[in-house]
């Protein structure tokens, strides 16, 4: 497989458009790379009834799982970014209207780190409210 050979390929304009529009999704570096991957994929599909089936299915399952993970990762990243922005807004609003000393803020930060660590990030508003209202 070290030496590639140049081949003449005749494609309809619609087919060539499919190649160019789907190159990024196929993670192909060039049109030649895309066509190589497409041929291997289709040959694997045709071989599903033979002993070569595991080679085709393994690559296909891995590609599908990779797509699922990347999609989930992007959705989670966007959601976390939006959540961080909302948290920053709330922090600035609270800082603007609160009359709390810097020492108390430091103590509260340490207490919150311990609470989050102890509860695995599940913070109950009622517990925090009750704690803050204690004398």
């Amino acid at each position: 497989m070290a030496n590639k050979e140049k081949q003449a390929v005749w494609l309809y304009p619609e087919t060539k458009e499919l190649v160019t529009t789907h190159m990024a999704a196929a993670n192909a570096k060039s049109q030649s790379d895309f066509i190589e991957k497409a041929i291997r994929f289709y040959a694997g599909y045709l071989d599903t009834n033979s002993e070569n089936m595991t080679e085709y299915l393994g690559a296909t399952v891995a590609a599908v799982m990779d797509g699922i993970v990347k999609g989930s990762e992007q959705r989670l990243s966007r959601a976390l970014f939006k959540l961080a922005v909302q948290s920053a807004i709330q922090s600035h609003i609270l800082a603007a209207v609160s009359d709390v000393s810097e020492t108390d803020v430091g103590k509260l930060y340490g207490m919150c780190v311990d609470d989050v660590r102890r509860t695995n990030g599940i913070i109950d508003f009622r517990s925090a409210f009750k704690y803050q209202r204690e004398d």
Side-chain angles (χ1 to χ4, degrees), residues 39-87:
I39 291 170
R40 290 186 178 282
F41 179 84
Y42 188 61
Y45 168 75
L46 293 174
D47 288 340
T48 55
N49 291 328
S50 72
E51 57 274 354
N52 296 337
M53 177 180 72
T54 55
E55 185 178 320
Y56 165 75
L57 287 178
T60 303
V61 169
V64 169
M65 294 301 292
D66 187 49
I68 290 170
V69 169
K70 284 182 181 175
S72 297
E73 182 181 82
Q74 289 173 351
R75 285 190 298 279
L76 283 171
S77 294
R78 277 189 236 118
L80 286 171
F81 179 81
K82 290 176 183 178
L83 184 61
V85 169
Q86 292 301 317
S87 179

Side-chain angles (χ1 to χ4, degrees), residues 85-107:
V85 169
Q86 292 301 317
S87 179
I89 291 170
Q90 291 173 349
S91 294
H92 282 276
I93 290 171
L94 283 172
V97 298
S98 295
D99 186 28
V100 181
S101 71
E102 195 169 329
T103 304
D104 289 340
V105 170
K107 288 178 186 175

